[in-house]
Amino acid sequence: MADYQAPLRDMRFVLNEVFDAPSLWASLPKVAEHVDPETADAILEEAGKICSGVLAPLNREGDEQGSRWNDGEVTAPEGFKEAYQTIVEGGWNGLGGNPEFGGMGMPKTLVAQFEEMMQGANMAFGLAPMLTAGACLALDAHGSQELKEKYLPNMYSGVWSGAMDLTEPHAGTDLGIIRTKAEPNDDGSFSVTGTKIFITWGEHDMAENIIHLVLAKLPDAPKGPKGISLFLVPKFMVNEDGSLGERNTLSCGSIEKKMGIKASATCVMNFDGAKGWLVGEENKGLAAMFTMMNYERLGVGIQGIGAAEASLQSAREYAMERIQSRAPSGAQQPDKAADPILVHPDVRRMLLTMKGYVEGGRAFSTYVAQWLDTAKYAEDEERRKHAEGMVALLTPVAKAFLTDRGLETCIAGQQVFGGHGFIREWGQEQLVRDCRITQIYEGTNGIQALDLMGRKVVGSQGKLYELFAQDLAAFIEVNSSDETMRPFLEPLVAAFERLSDVTEFVIKQAGDNPDVVGAASVDYLDLFGLTALGYMWAKIAKAAAPKAAEDASGFYSGKVKTARFYFDRLLPKTVSLAEAIRSGSDSMMALTADEF
Amino acid sequence: MADYQAPLRDMRFVLNEVFDAPSLWASLPKVAEHVDPETADAILEEAGKICSGVLAPLNREGDEQGSRWNDGEVTAPEGFKEAYQTIVEGGWNGLGGNPEFGGMGMPKTLVAQFEEMMQGANMAFGLAPMLTAGACLALDAHGSQELKEKYLPNMYSGVWSGAMDLTEPHAGTDLGIIRTKAEPNDDGSFSVTGTKIFITWGEHDMAENIIHLVLAKLPDAPKGPKGISLFLVPKFMVNEDGSLGERNTLSCGSIEKKMGIKASATCVMNFDGAKGWLVGEENKGLAAMFTMMNYERLGVGIQGIGAAEASLQSAREYAMERIQSRAPSGAQQPDKAADPILVHPDVRRMLLTMKGYVEGGRAFSTYVAQWLDTAKYAEDEERRKHAEGMVALLTPVAKAFLTDRGLETCIAGQQVFGGHGFIREWGQEQLVRDCRITQIYEGTNGIQALDLMGRKVVGSQGKLYELFAQDLAAFIEVNSSDETMRPFLEPLVAAFERLSDVTEFVIKQAGDNPDVVGAASVDYLDLFGLTALGYMWAKIAKAAAPKAAEDASGFYSGKVKTARFYFDRLLPKTVSLAEAIRSGSDSMMALTADEF
């Protein structure tokens, strides 16, 4: 297994050449205050050192050891506590955090690159900073000034970590039916009682305190999702002076044995009248949670890209070193017993498919991050609203499409290794096992597709889709006279028309038939994602083509040729997806339960 | 996790109603001698009891324990030795074996059903009988009368197991470069020296002796694949009277830690001048091995179906029991907190996709088994040759397409479970990990695709393809006036034309460009498999439609409706595959190594 190296050159290319992020930052005063291109570059460099040098080396052994539970205490694998300390010392937990409470105020466009390398280096570890950052975000957006002052600085620093407690044994997707209760105490606090499952890093030994954000129901709360509130429940009470007080009445009942991300603890958390404080308004807990979710969901999509990049690096190296059989066109290295397997068209197909999704996916997550930055920091309200619409539309695509393609990429990387891909020491199989969870948690990919197709596209009667369509149409228009762009724009235009037609088709049908949305949703998200990545590859080609001739390293010409592959071999999948969607919902809904 | 139940009704439906296997058997005197419909049915019933009752209950714990290595000895997980004894007592190892040496002489059409249930119940265990049967096949086809008499009876009974020793650390796909040597002794035997890896059940404690079939090179053998011979190397010497003698000089150096099939031992085997005997002719070992391979490759395809069936059974049950959210069209079970997730179109989409591949795949493996039976047992030479052509063409499709769809199905089954799918105790994640190997071993699926596209289709200049095309065309012709078949035949004809066009396209291009075959191969195999399964679903619809109205159980109407789903939602993938193939090899071959 090749050692993971943070893909700094690719990240700089996307940030500076494909998107010109520095101009975006300059246009947002609150961002410009904290970051300029030099600062950003230094952050990337330093983040790369930590991810490649500290986190990646712990990844394999972390998987072998796993987190261990003993009588309510959870011990992270060897080296994790020290690595976490490195993250704390660098302030990395608070990279995108609110400077008012000790965050570094960096834009998501930059933070996304750090997230990708952290997740690519060690996903099980990366979940701890990721969930802490998510908890901070919810707290910063919805908590009282008092709560923020008390908790945020130590969470941004990472001295305390955060956890999100949503799921219960009988309530996963359907949070409306949770049973955890919160009863008001006389002092303004609440007593929280119930059992939560699947709580990532809900208990561990890496941080001094763990701050749980817990969904629970107040007495007499309305039924369903509109009766859910959000509470902050610390593992240890925090005294007025900020020091830690007594242990709160919550405990980790067990941790799960699971397929992957084994180094991370997935906890059953029991709350037994644990003391907590309301975050945001009563019965509006789901809305508060969704503030966090939009960020987290992009973060999960980025996990898919991170794992896929790690798989690609390793598979590429293996394909160049492993010799086996001869090239179809005749021996390439006649002095050796065989040629490197990179000579074989099908090995190239696998690597190029991986590159197509990883590099296109990185551009797409940066594209979405741009809209997140604009939505959060733009001073002009109209500009902010427009960006919020883009974020709402694109977030489910980023989460589901990038993780679906993430798994596909990791499986392809494993396949490049042949039999060795199945053996643990080579590392590829761990990437498959780890990456698999990204399609499931933070809302399954099926739920993302329903969110996209139902709430966003049909729910807005196409208005949100139009925002994306206008952006893409403008790009096509601007580049229509550029001859070098023609081979990319032609198939892109065709896919775009296909997507727009299907969008219109589903919106029309959905009025008469409530099952149409669910029947179309997963294929629609795929069609959307493939087209969006086509847009990204056209942007990449646009940025790389003028430099391809003069660059001896092959970096820019490789980008242009990979774009060509994407349009030739991957984008055509949109044709079949459109055809499948047009068949409607009848063939799914026709069966009785007995007929399954 | 639902307990695995051998899908006997579906197997009987495929054997008797879709294919009328009894008529095939009656037409082959050597088969008719041993089997009639009643015998076949009794065998299925008994096999079902053992697979569901003995093998399936060991599957989860076998995965947790794994096989253990200690100083050259390998201990199978608890209960495996006893289960193996049950297989020995029933003579299941020799179900399809040559009756002259103690086999039961059953046709592959029947044996394939047994294989599917054994692999579905416990794939790691099932590999032991599978490899023993494969070794018997090679020995029966190529061994001397003396070797056959000495080894086959105890291998068919299973008292001795078999192993296939091909791969070396530097030689997997490219067996031409193996280094294991065989030097002739004075007594007609050979001394075999070398290291083999990835030897499934190469060492274990379940059988009294282990018979290795080892690929090695004679002194002065020609270079490359034409200089490889096959040797029988027993773990224990066998005396003239059949009793076991001294230990041979071969040993298990270690076993691999791997992603799945953990209960099976994947051995490094060291041969240190071990005594062996030539099987077949000198330097024709690869050909001898391929006799076995055609059977094994279908067997691996069947493993994909077996795992997928297990996943389907479990996911179907979960979808009916798990309640979560409401149906899009309004509450279906208003008295409960939520509806079963089966009401959701997207959950149905996942289950129907699974059914489409599993049930269509079972029909396809039975279809290929028919040709294997005909090729082996038909008395008329022309009929035999025709069947051999079909076997040659369809074997790589069965191996690769059924395992690719097998993994896709297991991943879908895991997704139906949401977060619980990632947790080990639910069993779904094990099916994903186990099934993953089927795409890799017995020739990776990329190699299968090259075999199909290069050796079979282009290599015969389309003649082998024509055999399949004629069979499919005849089915379409016969049913063209059947009105109930129209909705199935129309899309089938379109996919068939697409496949034929692409076949012609690649054959034409391949003359000028040696990379075209490898560039097209994987997508071509997928296109072929989807079309072949379309053919199977049309056959299933044909068999089920007349009985659908009168059957209250939903069995037949469920088949017809699932066929409808297959044609609406899965077969359309052929459109995109054809388009991708037509882009040729340029976008793959254009990159230099630096550009990757």
Side-chain angles (χ1 to χ4, degrees), chain A residues 109-354:
Chain A
T109 27
L110 183 64
V111 175
Q113 316 305 322
F114 165 61
E115 288 176 343
E116 190 209 302
M117 53 179 108
M118 179 167 63
Q119 305 296 351
N122 192 328
M123 194 191 289
F125 178 92
L127 281 162
M130 178 178 168
L131 284 161
T132 304
C136 288
L137 200 77
L139 194 54
D140 185 40
H142 300 281
S144 65
Q145 185 70 13
E146 193 187 341
L147 282 180
K148 290 199 263 192
E149 284 173 4
K150 195 163 185 177
Y151 291 96
L152 277 178
N154 277 330
M155 292 174 77
Y156 281 141
S157 75
V159 172
W160 300 345
S161 73
M164 317 296 303
D165 302 51
L166 289 71
T167 304
E168 300 180 8
H170 69 293
T173 295
D174 190 358
L175 290 170
I177 57 176
I178 60 167
R179 294 183 193 138
T180 298
K181 284 180 187 166
E183 300 193 339
N185 300 323
D186 294 340
D187 63 356
S189 70
F190 293 80
S191 289
V192 177
T193 301
T195 297
K196 296 287 180 178
I197 62 168
F198 300 163
I199 310 310
T200 302
W201 289 116
E203 178 56 46
H204 61 87
D205 62 345
M206 303 189 296
E208 294 173 15
N209 198 2
I210 301 172
I211 312 305
H212 293 263
L213 292 188
V214 185
L215 289 182
K217 307 199 80 160
L218 291 166
D220 309 319
K223 278 198 168 183
K226 290 183 179 164
I228 297 175
S229 305
L230 182 64
F231 298 88
L232 181 154
V233 185
K235 176 180 172 184
F236 289 102
M237 299 301 181
V238 178
N239 299 323
E240 286 308 306
D241 64 356
S243 64
L244 296 184
E246 65 189 276
R247 184 77 148 80
N248 206 347
T249 50
L250 60 101
S251 63
C252 174
S254 62
I255 62 175
E256 307 286 351
K257 293 183 78 173
K258 50 198 196 294
M259 181 185 198
I261 52 167
K262 293 185 181 186
S264 71
T266 302
C267 303
V268 174
M269 294 302 305
N270 298 315
F271 295 86
D272 187 15
K275 204 163 187 177
W277 289 267
L278 186 68
V279 177
E281 292 178 49
E282 290 186 3
N283 299 327
K284 298 206 168 158
L286 270 192
M289 205 50 119
F290 271 95
T291 301
M292 178 277 295
M293 283 259 183
N294 271 348
Y295 262 68
E296 292 285 300
R297 285 180 169 174
L298 174 60
V300 174
I302 287 172
Q303 288 190 308
I305 300 297
E309 165 72 27
S311 182
L312 170 61
Q313 288 184 15
S314 186
R316 178 165 47 203
E317 184 176 306
Y318 190 79
M320 292 183 186
E321 289 177 357
R322 173 78 171 174
I323 64 168
Q324 203 79 177
S325 306
R326 292 297 184 187
S329 53
Q332 301 293 299
Q333 303 195 355
D335 52 316
K336 293 194 177 154
D339 291 330
I341 60 173
L342 185 68
V343 302
H344 299 291
D346 189 57
V347 172
R348 291 171 161 251
R349 181 191 60 79
M350 289 190 274
L351 290 174
L352 284 164
T353 301
M354 298 172 79

Side-chain angles (χ1 to χ4, degrees), chain B residues 105-243:
Chain B
M106 291 296 150
K108 188 73 178 179
T109 26
L110 183 64
V111 175
Q113 315 306 321
F114 166 61
E115 289 176 343
E116 190 209 302
M117 52 178 111
M118 179 168 63
Q119 304 296 350
N122 192 329
M123 193 191 288
F125 178 92
L127 281 162
M130 177 176 169
L131 283 160
T132 303
C136 289
L137 200 78
L139 194 54
D140 185 40
H142 301 282
S144 66
Q145 185 70 14
E146 193 188 342
L147 282 180
K148 290 199 264 193
E149 284 173 4
K150 195 162 185 179
Y151 291 96
L152 276 179
N154 276 331
M155 292 173 77
Y156 280 142
S157 76
V159 172
W160 301 347
S161 73
M164 317 297 301
D165 301 52
L166 288 72
T167 304
E168 300 181 6
H170 68 293
T173 295
D174 191 358
L175 290 169
I177 57 175
I178 61 166
R179 295 183 192 138
T180 297
K181 285 180 186 165
E183 300 194 338
N185 301 323
D186 294 341
D187 62 357
S189 70
F190 293 80
S191 290
V192 177
T193 301
T195 296
K196 295 286 180 179
I197 63 168
F198 299 161
I199 311 309
T200 303
W201 288 116
E203 177 56 44
H204 61 86
D205 62 346
M206 303 189 295
E208 293 173 15
N209 199 2
I210 301 172
I211 312 304
H212 293 263
L213 293 188
V214 184
L215 289 183
K217 307 200 82 160
L218 291 165
D220 308 320
K223 277 198 170 183
K226 290 182 179 167
I228 297 175
S229 304
L230 183 64
F231 297 88
L232 181 155
V233 186
K235 176 179 171 183
F236 290 103
M237 298 303 183
V238 178
N239 299 322
E240 285 309 308
D241 65 356
S243 65

